[in-house]
Amino acid sequence: MAKKNQTLGEFIIENQSAFKYTSGELSRLINSIRLAAKVVNHEVNKAGLVDIIGAVGETNIQGEDQQKLDVYANDIFIETLTNRNIVCGIASEEEDDFITVNSQDENHQNKYVVLIDPLDGSSNIDVNVSVGTIFSIYRRVTPVGTPVQMEDFLQKGSQQVAAGYVVYGTSTMLVYTTGHGVNGFTLNPAIGTFYLSHPEMQFPEDGKIYSVNEGNYIHFPQGVKNYIKYCQEEDGDRPYTSRYIGSLVSDFHRNMIKGGIYMYPKSSKNFDGKLRLLYECNPMAFLAEQANGKASDGVQRILDIEPKELHQRVPFFCGSKNMVEKAEEFMRK
Ligand code: AHM
Ligand code: MG
């Protein structure tokens, strides 16, 4: 049972027995993500000081090279997961291929793979808007003791054992699920501890917010255009409010708390939409379903899609159940 003000560390230990396999490996893995999140948070918070501490590609006054934040976040997550010898493989938005974690001393004994988008929405960094990290965790399907294979990463979203995100916002939060609901933890930056602040998070069944990049409107399929017009019509609780940060994690987080739908449809410019199935849509879809919401590509449940490649893109409609169903209804017409 989630208790408010519990620390994330305590929560992980207390809930370990709820996992299907209780070797403690998944707990250690979530603990490493917690650690990497704190390190990245520290760096993200300094981003505005770029004129003072030096820009990307420059050497700062202490003689340190300044790195682009998405590259930095990628390195931190990979380093943390690799050094602690916890996973057998990692795939990242920042890497063309998956990384085999070569645990020589343990001979590929690790059972989990992690897929991450280390810094989603990173174009927002320059303007001091919230960004996030998204992660997705699976048990490998190939035998332990052998190097990890592509098929370990190309699993359907329904096979995820855990997923979550970190939002580096007005406060920094880590929100995750292991298939037993969704819990949100807020970082107290003064002491570097995450506390349970949002136990058992749920999407309201209905919402009043729609989030979509309307600049792409003329390129959207007719069903999507009609749904957007429906959102804008005066009728009952409509028109809805439009809110689009352009940072998936933040848009999702707000919609989960307030009720809403996030959409990144296909368009005549991007036939498969923009977002990546494995490390953006699947983890968000798992969280959405665990929080009583829904996620679809417009036709099909996201978590049922059979992945074909690591960086595959899919159209994405995610949020309050009744809103996603309504959008699907428009797209079927
Ligand atoms: P990124 O992984 O390159 O940061 O792109 C993903 C982001 C999402 O966070 C956001 O919702 C979307 O791209 C915004 O795209 P657009 O600017 O096309 O509306
Ligand atoms: Mg991304």
Side-chain angles (χ1 to χ4, degrees):
M1 187 60 196
K3 286 191 252 48
K4 247 189 166 174
N5 295 328
Q6 204 173 20
T7 68
L8 176 54
E10 288 165 349
F11 182 89
I12 291 171
I13 294 167
E14 203 160 288
N15 289 278
Q16 187 167 308
S17 57
F19 302 151
K20 218 159 144 195
Y21 316 92
T22 50
S23 66
E25 201 176 321
L26 183 59
S27 300
R28 287 201 296 131
L29 175 42
I30 293 167
N31 265 321
S32 320
I33 289 175
R34 170 182 71 157
L35 174 65
K38 285 191 226 177
V39 177
V40 172
N41 175 62
H42 181 70
E43 205 63 23
V44 166
N45 282 336
K46 290 196 305 195
L49 293 171
V50 77
D51 290 339
I52 299 161
I53 60 178
V56 169
E58 287 177 357
T59 306
N60 70 14
I61 202 157
Q62 283 94 27
E64 300 157 339
D65 289 333
Q66 295 300 299
Q67 248 181 336
K68 263 189 87 173
L69 267 175
D70 40 11
V71 177
Y72 178 84
N74 187 50
D75 290 351
I76 292 295
F77 275 94
I78 291 174
E79 237 176 78
T80 311
L81 294 169
T82 311
N83 289 350
R84 300 181 135 209
N85 193 13
I86 285 174
V87 294
C88 56
I90 305 165
S92 161
E93 179 171 330
E94 298 287 329
E95 308 279 337
D96 291 341
D97 296 315
F98 66 81
I99 297 167
T100 304
V101 178
N102 215 346
S103 51
Q104 280 155 343
D105 46 341
E106 290 202 27
N107 213 4
H108 303 287
Q109 290 305 303
N110 299 333
K111 294 186 280 301
Y112 292 97
V113 296
V114 177
L115 296 101
I116 54 168
D117 183 352
L119 208 66
D120 184 65
S122 53
S123 61
N124 278 325
I125 279 277
D126 295 345
V127 287
N128 208 358
V129 170
S130 302
V131 290
T133 297
I134 310 173
F135 60 92
S136 165
I137 303 173
Y138 293 85
R139 276 177 80 87
R140 63 182 302 176
V141 288
T142 56
V144 171
T146 62
V148 71
Q149 303 291 329
M150 186 59 100
E151 63 197 279
D152 294 314
F153 296 94
L154 298 186
Q155 298 188 53
K156 280 197 228 171
S158 56
Q159 299 303 308
Q160 287 171 103
V161 292
Y165 60 79
V166 185
V167 54
Y168 309 98
T170 40
S171 53
T172 291
M173 281 190 71
L174 192 154
V175 176
Y176 81 105
T177 182
T178 53
H180 304 276
V182 176
N183 290 286
F185 299 81
T186 302
L187 181 68
N188 178 339
I191 50 175
T193 303
F194 280 103
Y195 288 96
L196 180 61
S197 52
H198 296 63
E200 290 153 29
M201 297 178 83
Q202 298 261 305
F203 270 95
E205 292 220 332
D206 283 298
K208 287 187 169 193
I209 298 172
Y210 71 101
S211 314
V212 63
N213 185 343
E214 269 182 272
N216 296 327
Y217 183 85
I218 58 164
H219 302 288
F220 287 152
Q222 195 55 45
V224 175
K225 288 182 180 168
N226 293 345
Y227 177 67
I228 293 174
K229 284 293 154 222
Y230 166 87
C231 293
Q232 297 169 342
E233 263 164 31
E234 190 109 31
D235 190 10
D237 61 348
R238 286 173 288 136
Y240 297 150
T241 294
S242 164
R243 288 281 182 275
Y244 188 70
I245 298 171
S247 188
L248 170 63
V249 169
S250 313
D251 279 310
F252 178 99
H253 186 73
R254 181 205 52 240
N255 290 351
M256 178 157 62
I257 291 171
K258 298 206 163 172
I261 182 172
Y262 172 95
M263 303 183 269
Y264 211 108
K266 65 180 176 188
S267 70
S268 49
K269 286 195 304 188
N270 297 322
F271 199 69
D272 296 314
K274 175 185 183 190
L275 300 184
R276 317 298 175 109
L277 173 61
L278 292 179
Y279 40 79
E280 292 178 327
C281 302
N282 270 339
M284 292 319 222
F286 187 25
L287 287 161
E289 289 196 6
Q290 283 295 316
N292 197 37
K294 195 168 171 164
S296 137
D297 68 356
V299 184
Q300 195 187 359
R301 181 184 178 222
I302 290 288
L303 298 182
D304 284 338
I305 298 175
E306 193 84 59
K308 298 201 172 48
E309 48 184 306
L310 220 43
H311 299 289
Q312 183 173 340
R313 297 174 196 267
V314 284
F316 193 51
F317 300 83
C318 178
S320 292
K321 206 182 268 174
N322 293 342
M323 295 183 90
V324 175
E325 280 168 8
K326 193 55 147 183
E328 284 178 324
E329 192 185 308
F330 273 95
M331 280 176 279
R332 271 196 301 273
K333 279 181 196 159

